[in-house]
DNA sequence: TTGTAAGCGTTATCAT
DNA sequence: ATGATAACGCTTACAA
């Protein structure tokens, strides 16, 4: 950035001190109105932009928030970022965005870089492969303000904003049971060490228990969040003898559900006649499938907003409490569960 | 960010000077190997993170790049950001991301904030309503490194990375003419003051001229980039007497094409039988429509990569030339143009 | 090899 | 109302 105009230069060209210029430009009340005007117009003329780097060094505040997301192309996250942006923009914080690409090594590197940049706080959604919880434990203990969103690590003393995953998973499973009378329901799960994977599994299990349906371990396949993982999980499921096929399957998210549906198709089976499929996310493509996908709509924008608000509150207010904030989802009933008229 | 450990504190606890600690931690060659080890382990123990704010003040370099995009939910941009991220991550630059939400006022505000943060360079895709070119002219003249991407402002002395819009628009129009024999082709355009709006219009016109087809001003409707704009433009077009309807229409981008198709449907017309429609973007939803959309695939990731590479080159190399870089598109032929077998 | 002093651009504090 | 000085955490330049 070419050599920029400084307070001192403005001061010299005006024959006053740098302090006066600083005061004038920051609208302090103890400056003569005349000099203030002179300073402001001179600054304008010289093309002055305040140097936040220097400001930050003095104030120990950067007005900057670090955001770490695991996967920027998964449509959910850009929407979350938009929510974050909306809030930070109003409060005049800037966003340092990093994409960990689902790699915990990159996530760590990003967090360290962000800390070196002295961001005022961190908004984090962890990558799938995370194993080293002590990393975040140290950071939180050091007093760094941190709010997790969507993919949370619990019990570390940081607030967390997420969707009511367990309840939503319970509800969509319940829908399959009560509205359609399915009793043989499978689950293509995510990794259990990621909160959303665990929670969605639990909601599914709770619903089966509540309605006293058999829990069949052959129907619970651990996979991942991408299309290919759903495809593979469904392939495993279809290795069962045909008479042991479930009637319906709850998939951990929509991309994985797309993969699962593809696998069914490749296998010559149709949705929902041979097997009903429901997802989780309400991906932009969900309503456009040949058989539109029944799924759980996630208010990504609201998640972003709430996480950002919580973080800014924690930054600006010493004793903001630690909270787990749940944002409510809604069921999107479409055709893939067997509801014909959508 | 709680009180952080400083060089001085490490120095004191070790009985050496801050300079020695600085040298040791930065792997300068003039430090005793023994003291270096002591310093490094002490720094680790005390949880030291270098203060980049202070570093930047000295070096006049922040290792930070400001990115301004007009619309984060338009899938094209997250993909561009991923490309940018991939490059900056390797070169150890951080990304300050701002979303202008298609509002030029917010864009200006964002750029000013970014300059105050003393980013080393700017990556910008302008919002639609832009009118004040002098704003960027000043910034570029002040020596700030700036690369435009996708939505460029030309003639200001900044490099630009974009898709070969005019050629692509020419090609998809040509496809309608030569593969389908359409001679009555309309264009629902974008705003002409945004480069992609202008370029796509020009490509369309060039193709008509090349094949000596009539240019009918009633078939050229100025609109915008969102679904609703496409809907409205198509509504205008359908106000013509039925015998003056075009056979095909080139829409400025996919979201607008979705709107146009919706309007046709609401009007009782079908695609491509009554009117063929082609788009531009290859939106993730394009292949999933009832009649999959023929469109131009844009290599968003490559746009991001090239823009980031160009900017970093400009930052690190005094006389990096100003260039217009074009990234090549590919046609995605699907059913909406009348190619039946897709 | 190590230390000292000055300075990066700003603001808090005390003085005038 | 305005100015002088020190300080924020670090590095460069020079000295020991």
């Amino acid at each position: 950035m070419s050599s920029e105009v400084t307070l001192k230069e403005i001061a010299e060209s005006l024959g006053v001190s740098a302090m006066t210029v600083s005061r004038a430009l920051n609208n302090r009340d103890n400056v003569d109105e005349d000099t203030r005007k002179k300073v402001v117009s001179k600054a304008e003329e010289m093309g002055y932009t305040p140097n936040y780097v220097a400001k930050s060094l003095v104030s120990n505040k950067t007005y900057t928030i670090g955001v770490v997301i695991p996967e920027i192309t998964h449509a959910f996250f850009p929407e979350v970022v938009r929510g974050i942006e909306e809030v930070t923009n109003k409060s005049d914080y800037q966003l340092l965005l990093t994409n960990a690409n689902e790699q915990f090594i990159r996530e760590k590197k990003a967090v360290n870089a962000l800390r070196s940049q002295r961001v005022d706080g961190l908004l984090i959604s962890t990558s799938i492969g995370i194993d080293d919880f002590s990393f975040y434990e140290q950071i939180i203990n050091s007093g760094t303000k941190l709010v997790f969103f969507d993919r949370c690590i619990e019990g570390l003393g940081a607030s967390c904003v997420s969707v009511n995953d367990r309840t939503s998973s319970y509800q969509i499973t319940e829908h399959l049971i009560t509205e359609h009378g399915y009793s043989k329901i499978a689950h293509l799960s995510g990794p259990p060490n990621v909160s959303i994977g665990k929670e969605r599994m639990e909601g599914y299990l709770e619903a089966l228990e509540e309605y006293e349906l058999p829990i069949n371990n052959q129907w619970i396949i651990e996979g991942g969040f991408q299309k290919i993982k759903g495809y593979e999980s469904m392939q495993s499921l279809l290795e069962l003898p045909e008479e042991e096929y479930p009637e319906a399957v709850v998939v951990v998210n929509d991309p994985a559900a797309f993969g699962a549906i593809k696998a069914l198709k490749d296998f010559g089976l149709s949705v929902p006649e041979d097997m009903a499929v429901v997802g989780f996310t309400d991906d932009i493509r969900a309503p456009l499938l040949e058989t539109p996908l029944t799924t759980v709509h996630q208010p990504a924008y609201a998640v972003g907003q709430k996480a950002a608000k919580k973080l800014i509150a924690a930054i600006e207010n010493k004793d903001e409490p630690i909270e787990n904030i749940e944002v409510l989802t809604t069921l999107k009933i479409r055709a893939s569960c067997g509801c014909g008229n959508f």
Side-chain angles (χ1 to χ4, degrees), chain A:
Chain A
M1 212 94 180
S2 62
S3 67
E4 299 280 350
V5 180
T6 67
L7 282 188
K8 213 176 141 198
E9 286 167 21
I10 300 177
E12 276 165 9
S13 84
L14 238 40
V16 298
S17 77
M19 256 330 288
T20 302
V21 178
S22 169
R23 283 195 267 251
L25 258 20
N26 288 289
N27 288 312
R28 301 301 174 83
D29 46 13
N30 49 352
V31 253
D32 187 85
E33 189 53 23
D34 267 10
T35 50
R36 207 187 66 77
K37 275 181 188 155
K38 259 185 248 164
V39 169
V40 169
S41 81
K42 194 72 182 180
E44 174 96 349
E45 178 198 326
M46 297 176 72
Y48 174 75
T49 25
N51 186 331
Y52 277 34
V53 175
K55 259 190 186 176
S56 298
L57 189 58
V58 175
S59 63
N60 202 23
K61 184 145 174 53
T62 56
Y63 277 98
T64 256
I65 285 175
V67 180
V68 182
I69 60 179
E71 173 53 296
I72 198 176
T73 41
H74 183 336
F76 176 78
F77 288 107
E79 188 66 17
V80 173
V81 172
R82 222 185 96 235
I84 294 173
E85 231 273 334
E86 201 55 43
V87 172
T88 52
N89 182 59
K90 278 195 192 113
S91 314
D92 287 315
Y93 283 83
Q94 293 294 317
L95 245 45
L96 273 159
L97 182 79
T98 55
N99 172 20
N101 237 349
E102 297 287 15
Q103 297 160 42
F104 186 54
I105 310 170
R106 273 184 70 162
E107 184 174 322
K108 264 165 103 163
K109 190 185 151 202
V111 169
N112 284 331
L114 259 13
R115 296 189 74 201
S116 281
Q117 299 277 3
R118 293 294 188 265
V119 293
D120 293 334
L122 252 14
L123 249 19
I124 291 179
S125 194
T126 56
S127 288
I128 287 172
I130 179 166
D131 46 2
D132 183 8
F133 298 106
S134 67
F135 176 70
Y136 283 116
E137 205 168 358
Q138 276 182 12
I139 291 177
I140 295 164
N141 289 341
S142 85
T144 299
K145 306 297 181 188
L146 192 163
V147 171
F148 288 111
F149 64 93
D150 191 50
R151 308 223 199 129
C152 302
I153 306 178
E154 288 168 12
L156 256 42
S159 287
C160 168
V161 177
S162 61
V163 144
N164 55 342
D165 273 298
R166 202 170 54 246
T167 319
S168 311
S169 181
Y170 179 93
Q171 287 168 343
I172 201 164
T173 310
E174 182 178 45
H175 175 89
L176 294 173
I177 300 169
T178 60
E179 298 299 315
H180 299 279
Y182 298 132
S183 60
K184 301 194 273 184
I185 303 176
H187 180 42
L188 308 186
S189 81
N193 60 339
V194 178
S195 62
I196 58 171
K198 200 184 93 204
E199 303 254 318
R200 289 173 193 180
M201 168 79 86
E202 289 173 0
Y204 157 80
L205 292 173
E206 274 173 29
L208 295 194
E209 278 165 26
E210 179 68 27
Y211 289 92
E212 299 177 349
L213 295 181
I215 291 173
N216 182 339
N217 280 327
Q218 292 185 305
W219 289 342
I220 299 179
I221 315 249
E222 188 180 324
F225 299 112
Q226 301 97 327
K227 185 171 178 185
I228 178 70
K229 296 294 180 182
Y231 189 90
E232 291 166 359
S233 294
M234 181 54 85
Q235 278 186 319
S236 305
L237 187 63
L238 293 177
E239 283 169 9
L240 290 175
E242 200 177 325
E243 62 276 15
E244 292 180 25
Y245 283 179
E247 298 158 312
V249 51
V250 176
V251 187
V252 70
N253 73 355
D254 284 2
F258 299 154
I261 289 170
K262 179 79 173 17
L264 283 167
K265 222 185 220 173
D266 289 355
F267 210 79
L269 298 178
S270 61
V271 177
E273 292 78 6
D274 296 310
M275 203 182 291
V277 175
V278 299
F280 216 107
T281 309
D282 199 17
D283 187 284
I284 192 169
R285 292 161 290 182
L288 298 169
L289 294 190
E290 201 182 316
T291 308
L293 184 67
T294 290
T295 185
V296 175
H297 176 76
Q298 311 222 55
Y301 187 80
V303 168
Q305 281 184 310
K306 298 212 174 182
K309 276 188 189 155
K310 184 70 186 173
L311 180 63
I312 292 179
I315 290 170
E316 299 185 343
N317 171 5
K318 282 238 168 292
D319 31 54
E320 179 73 18
I322 307 298
E323 280 182 291
N324 281 334
I325 299 171
E326 285 209 332
V327 186
L328 298 186
T329 58
T330 45
L331 290 190
K332 286 279 175 187
I333 306 300
R334 291 193 271 248
S336 72
C337 58
C339 288
N341 38 354
F342 292 93

